[in-house]
Structures are given as C-alpha cells and as structure tokens.
C-alpha cells in the first residue's frame, strides 16, 4: 500500500510520500503480509508454541524496533537506495552491504511469490471451485501444491508477479494505496470475527493453551534464531527496504512514532493470526507443526462449517484479502532491487522492473517444485534422522533467517561505529523535537551500540555453526 512516488528523473529532486499517513501505510503494508498470516503460525507451530511467541515478541521490540528506526533514518539522511546510502554515508566499500540487500530482495521475492500464488489459487478454488467440498484439507493441500503445473500454480504465481510489476512500474501511488487503506482494516476485522467464531469450537482451549502458555523447557538455540529471523522477515528489516522507503519521506516526518505504529500493526496481525490458527488446528485434530502448509490446511475447515454459500464468500474473501496484503509486501521487495538499478545503474524504470520480474519469476520455479512437484527440489537435503529440507526451506534458511539478521548486525555496527549516533539523533530530531537527550534516545543508542551487535552477532554465529556446519553448540 504505497505512496512511494518514483524519484523524479530530473536529477536532484527526489519526490516523496504524499502525506505522513502515506508513509505509514506503505511501511505497514510492507510489513504486514504472508509473513504474519502464513509464516508466523507455521514457525510458531514448528517451534513449540507459546515460548516461541514470547521470544519473537522480545526480538521484535528489543532488536527489531531500533533497527527499523535506524534503517528509516539512514535512508532519509542519505536520500538514496541501500547501496547509495551505505556508500554515501560510509564511503569506501560499504556499498557492498547494499548489494547484499538487493540480493536478499530478489531471493526472498522468488519464493514469496510462489506462496502468494498458492493464496491466489485458494481464493479461486474456494470462491469458484469445489475446494470446500473436499473431505480432507491436508490431502488437498498436498496434492494442490505438488501439482505445480496441473493445478496452475505456475500461472497463479506468474499473474501475481505481473501484478506486482505493474504496480511498481506505474509508481505505486493512487490505486493501490486507496485499495489497501480500505482492505487492510477489512482483513483485520475479518480476522477478529473469525477468531471469535473459532474460539467457540470444541478443542479450541487446547489450541489457546498451546499458543499462550509458554513451556520454556522446549527452548533451544534454534528457537532464538528462528524467532529473530521471523521478527526481521515480518518487519521487512535487514535488507534495506525501509532504507529505500525512508529515502522518500520528508524531514517533517516523526520517524519514531511512525516506526512504532508500523511495529504495533505488524505484531497485532501476527498475534491475531496465531489466535485464529491454533484453536482451529487443535479443534480439527491436526498437528501444529504442520510446516509451510499449516494455514492452508487449518483454515478451510472453518469456512466449510459456514455452509456452501457463506463459506465461499467469507473464505474467498479471506484469501483475496491475504493476496492484497501479500501484494503490498511484494511491492516493497521488488522496489529495493528496482530502485537500485534505477538510481545507481541508470537503467530506465521500465527495463529494470520488467527485467527483474522475469528473473525473479524464473528463480522461483525451483521453489514452486519444492512441495512435491519434483523429488529433487522437495528433498534437497536429507538428514540422518530422516527429516529433510526442500529448496524453498533452504532459501528461507539462508536469506530470511540468516541474511536478514546479518543485515541488521551490519547496520547496527555501521550506525554506531562508521556513521555516528549523535548525527543519527540529529536526523531523528527533525520531525521529533526534544528527541535528543531523551530517555528513548539513550535507550536506542545503547541498543544500537551494544545490544544489537552482541545479540545479532551471537545469533548469526550460532546460526552458521548449527545450521550450516551442523555443529551442536549447546548440547
Ligand atoms: N514483511 C513482509 C511479510 O511479512 C515480507 C517482506 C516485505 C519483507 N518486504 C520485505 C521481508 C523486506 C524482508 C525484507 O510478509
């Protein structure tokens, strides 16, 4: 949902968001997406429930929020894309960090678009097909996702990529912004309504207990790095998306309160999604550790129970709104590599957007084949204990769970030791008088100077050792 206008082609004037609400809407639109409704419940379910929720919330508030303020502030100061921002403010070879962000944007979008394609397919199959008449939604999802070509996922994903490209190409203003401003609150209300309904079902209480009563004995190092990855993914941090958006805002904007609103919106939607999914999962006797299919397996049951007509309307409506939420996120993922090519490499906007979309779509094909379509991509890695990882899982591990927190680590080191926290505070002071010297200023300084580097550094190290080198550190 964006009001980002394309930077003026005549050099020097970088036009911005039309209003304060415009920036918040765009940044919240980037944050709220499949990460909240699809990825968050799946990660929570795979990592033991409530304890994961608590750690995820701590990661978001203690680390995510300061990093978000840092990205927006750096973007507004530098007035350019992540590559330009790092090279301008940092001098020397810092631009390479921005390139890492460009790479992350491309790779994350490649699989994100496939999952958006599933959501689009579910919208069509619920509204106009016979999805709700199926006897077993687990089996249905399995064969749906495996039939990447027979079940048209190829075309759904292609359509989604094309719509994203179209919106970014047109400069993202008018249409989508208005649509999203109406539809995102609608998604929120629909979630609340469905939760109330779900809580009345038999077995819902077990789901609530699983989601809300932490059992910290289940916590392992993996819980921490997965929660941190989820926090970064959900807030759209660590690859410069908010550096890019920050570069479009005016000096009158209050960065702190904008970042706070975006963070709260993002947490709220994720929390509500969990509050819906876990009662459903337990009342339907499914396993919470259902993996990437969790939402697609748990949700249809509630729509089915509404009867054929209402079910089609509410269920179709839900997945359509989910697609809109995904669209405002894919826009921001595409905007980073696109603005890099446009600002730094002087590629005309049209070629940049279309070229990138084609490349990203093709890079997404192995992810499309990761849900049973091809044995090779479905079981890229098979471990001794019999568990396996698909291509999509691997891309997710490397780019979402490792590179995004790594991007946050580098950003915090950059802000504290290469740029300068006093300068950063001066930038924030514009639009937020009285910030300098305030308690929040002191907290953010400490967080960026010490807490973020130590925690993110530790997490990155553990991720690399455990995940990629299979060295078990904590027993
Ligand atoms: N935050 C989005 C979601 O939760 C996904 C996303 C959009 C993203 N832009 C990003 C993730 C930039 C990381 C970086 O669905």
């Amino acid at each position: 949902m964006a009001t980002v206008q394309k930077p003026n082609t005549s050099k020097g004037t970088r036009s911005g968001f039309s209003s304060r609400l415009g920036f918040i809407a765009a940044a919240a639109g980037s944050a709220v997406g499949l990460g909240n409704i699809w990825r968050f419940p799946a990660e929570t379910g795979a990592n033991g429930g409530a304890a994961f929720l608590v750690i995820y919330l701590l990661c978001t508030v203690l680390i995510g929020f300061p990093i978000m303020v840092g990205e927006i502030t750096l973007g507004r100061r530098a007035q350019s894309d992540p590559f330009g921002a790092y090279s301008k403010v940092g001098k020397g070879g810092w631009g390479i960090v921005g390139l890492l962000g460009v790479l992350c944007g491309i790779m994350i979008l490649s699989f994100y678009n496939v999952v958006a394609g599933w959501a689009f397919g579910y919208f069509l199959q619920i509204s106009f097909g016979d999805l709700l008449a199926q006897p077993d939604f687990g089996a249905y999802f399995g064969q749906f996702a495996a039939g990447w070509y027979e079940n048209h996922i190829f075309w759904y994903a292609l359509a989604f990529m094309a719509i994203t490209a179209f919106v970014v190409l047109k400069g993202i203003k008018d249409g989508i912004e208005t649509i999203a401003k109406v539809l995102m609150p609608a998604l929120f209300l629909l979630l609340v309504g469905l939760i109330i309904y779900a809580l009345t079902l038999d077995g819902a209480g077990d789901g609530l207990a699983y989601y809300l009563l932490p059992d910290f004995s289940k916590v392992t190092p993996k819980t921490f790095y997965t929660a941190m990855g989820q926090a970064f993914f959900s807030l759209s941090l660590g690859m410069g998306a908010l550096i890019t958006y920050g570069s479009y805002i005016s000096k009158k904007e209050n960065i702190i309160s904008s970042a706070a609103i975006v963070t709260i919106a993002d947490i709220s939607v994720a929390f509500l999604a969990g509050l819906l999914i876990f009662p459903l999962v337990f009342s339907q006797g499914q396993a919470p550790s259902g993996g990437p299919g969790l939402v697609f397996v748990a949700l249809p049951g509630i729509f089915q129970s509404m009867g054929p007509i209402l079910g089609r309307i509410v269920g179709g409506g839900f997945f359509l709104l989910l697609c809109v939420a995904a669209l405002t996120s894919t826009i921001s993922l595409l905007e980073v590599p696109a603005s890099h090519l446009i600002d730094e490499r002087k590629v005309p906007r049209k070629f940049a957007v279309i070229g990138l979309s084609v490349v990203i779509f093709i890079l997404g094909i192995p992810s499309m084949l990761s849900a049973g379509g091809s044995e090779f991509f479905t079981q890229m890695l098979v471990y001794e204990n019999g568990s396996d990882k698909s291509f999509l899982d691997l891309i997710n591990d490397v780019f979402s769970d490792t590179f995004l927190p790594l991007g946050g680590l580098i950003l915090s080191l950059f802000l504290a030791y290469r740029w300068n926290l006093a300068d950063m505070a001066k930038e924030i002071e514009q639009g937020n008088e009285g910030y300098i010297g305030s308690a929040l200023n002191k907290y953010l300084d400490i967080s960026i100077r010490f807490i973020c580097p130590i925690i993110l550094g530790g997490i990155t190290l553990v991720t690399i050792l455990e995940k990629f080198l299979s060295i078990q550190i904590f027993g």
Side-chain angles (χ1 to χ4, degrees):
M1 78 177 67
T3 29
V4 188
Q5 293 169 348
K6 22 185 172 173
N8 239 323
T9 32
S10 57
K11 277 211 76 169
T13 34
R14 194 177 178 85
S15 59
F17 288 97
S18 54
S19 66
R20 175 176 151 74
L21 202 60
F23 169 69
I24 292 176
S30 162
V32 175
L34 297 172
N36 306 60
I37 291 172
W38 161 70
R39 198 178 190 276
F40 169 75
E43 297 286 5
T44 306
N47 289 284
F52 181 87
L53 172 67
V54 172
I55 295 170
Y56 156 78
L57 289 174
L58 286 174
C59 290
T60 301
V61 174
L62 294 181
I63 309 287
F65 178 71
I67 295 290
M68 180 183 286
V69 171
E71 280 204 18
I72 300 173
T73 310
L74 177 60
R76 190 172 74 176
R77 163 56 66 88
Q79 293 285 302
S80 60
D81 76 302
F83 174 83
Y86 274 106
S87 16
K88 252 192 236 172
V89 177
K91 318 245 166 27
W94 280 95
I96 192 158
V97 186
L99 289 183
L100 203 67
V102 168
L103 178 69
C104 275
I106 291 174
M107 295 313 292
I108 290 178
L109 184 50
S110 78
F111 77 77
Y112 197 95
N113 187 56
V114 172
V115 181
W118 295 347
F120 190 46
Y122 261 51
F123 156 63
L124 295 175
Q125 293 305 323
I126 289 179
S127 296
F128 309 109
D130 60 358
L131 197 157
L132 293 183
Q134 298 297 321
D136 178 344
F137 296 120
Y140 180 87
F141 177 75
Q143 70 89 40
F144 171 79
W148 68 290
Y149 200 79
E150 305 83 294
N151 297 327
H152 316 301
I153 290 166
F154 181 89
W155 297 108
Y156 299 145
L158 187 63
F160 208 88
M161 194 70 237
I163 296 171
T164 304
F166 181 78
V167 175
V168 174
L169 201 56
K170 290 285 162 199
I172 352 186
K173 221 182 161 303
D174 309 326
I176 196 72
E177 178 189 348
T178 343
I179 295 173
K181 271 186 192 152
V182 180
L183 294 186
M184 285 304 96
L187 176 64
F188 197 85
L189 291 180
L190 185 53
L191 271 175
V192 173
L194 290 174
I195 289 167
I196 295 172
Y197 184 65
L199 290 181
T200 64
L201 301 172
D202 279 348
D206 294 341
L208 274 188
Y210 177 81
Y211 184 47
L212 298 177
L213 300 179
D215 171 1
F216 287 105
S217 68
K218 288 196 197 127
V219 172
T220 63
K222 178 166 177 267
T223 323
F224 286 94
Y225 58 73
T226 317
M228 189 64 83
Q230 174 60 26
F232 271 71
F233 186 91
S234 191
L235 294 167
S236 302
L237 296 177
M239 54 157 268
L242 292 178
I243 297 180
T244 309
Y245 276 19
S247 76
Y248 298 129
I249 62 175
S250 90
K251 300 280 180 190
K252 286 193 228 103
E253 186 90 36
N254 184 333
I255 294 177
I256 299 286
S257 65
S258 303
I261 293 171
V262 172
T263 305
I264 291 169
D266 188 60
I267 295 179
S268 312
V269 176
F271 181 74
L272 290 180
L275 213 48
L276 173 61
I277 299 298
F278 291 107
L280 283 181
V281 164
F282 279 79
S283 78
Q284 298 168 3
Q286 296 155 348
S289 54
L294 187 68
V295 170
F296 294 93
V297 175
L299 275 174
I302 192 173
F303 304 129
Q304 188 184 48
S305 72
M306 294 176 178
I309 299 183
L310 194 63
R312 270 178 208 271
I313 297 173
V314 179
F318 182 89
F319 279 98
L320 187 60
L321 292 176
L322 184 57
C323 288
V324 176
L327 181 62
T328 57
S329 299
T330 54
I331 290 167
S332 80
L333 282 161
L334 185 56
E335 184 72 25
V336 172
S339 73
H340 175 68
L341 293 183
I342 298 162
D343 286 1
E344 304 294 329
R345 316 271 159 199
K346 306 294 170 238
V347 179
R349 191 170 187 93
K350 202 174 187 173
F351 291 124
V353 171
I354 295 177
L356 280 167
S357 302
V358 171
V359 170
I360 290 169
F361 180 75
I362 293 171
L363 286 172
I365 290 179
S367 292
M368 221 177 270
L369 293 167
S370 286
S374 123
E375 198 174 322
F376 176 72
F377 288 117
T378 307
Q379 300 192 314
M380 286 290 289
L381 283 184
V382 180
Y383 295 97
E384 281 160 17
N385 64 9
S387 65
D388 55 15
K389 282 212 160 133
S390 68
F391 180 85
L392 196 157
D393 294 331
L394 280 177
I395 294 286
N396 214 351
D397 275 358
V398 174
F399 291 96
S400 317
D401 283 348
T402 312
F403 276 27
L404 296 179
L406 177 65
L409 169 65
I410 298 174
L411 179 83
S412 61
L413 293 172
F414 180 82
L415 296 174
Y417 303 105
R418 177 74 210 183
W419 192 21
N420 163 343
L421 291 179
D423 261 6
M424 179 175 151
K426 272 187 216 148
E427 182 68 40
I428 297 176
E429 174 85 10
Q430 300 181 49
N432 185 354
E433 252 172 69
Y435 171 75
I436 293 180
S438 67
L440 186 67
N441 182 185
K442 291 190 185 120
Y443 169 71
L444 288 183
D445 281 3
I446 293 174
S447 174
I448 293 173
R449 196 184 292 281
F450 304 111
I451 304 178
C452 292
I454 292 171
I455 299 211
L456 291 171
I459 284 208
T460 306
L461 193 67
V462 174
T463 314
I464 292 173
L465 290 175
E466 278 212 11
K467 221 176 206 153
F468 300 109
L469 305 177
S470 300
I471 301 172
Q472 225 58 39
I473 315 162
F474 297 100

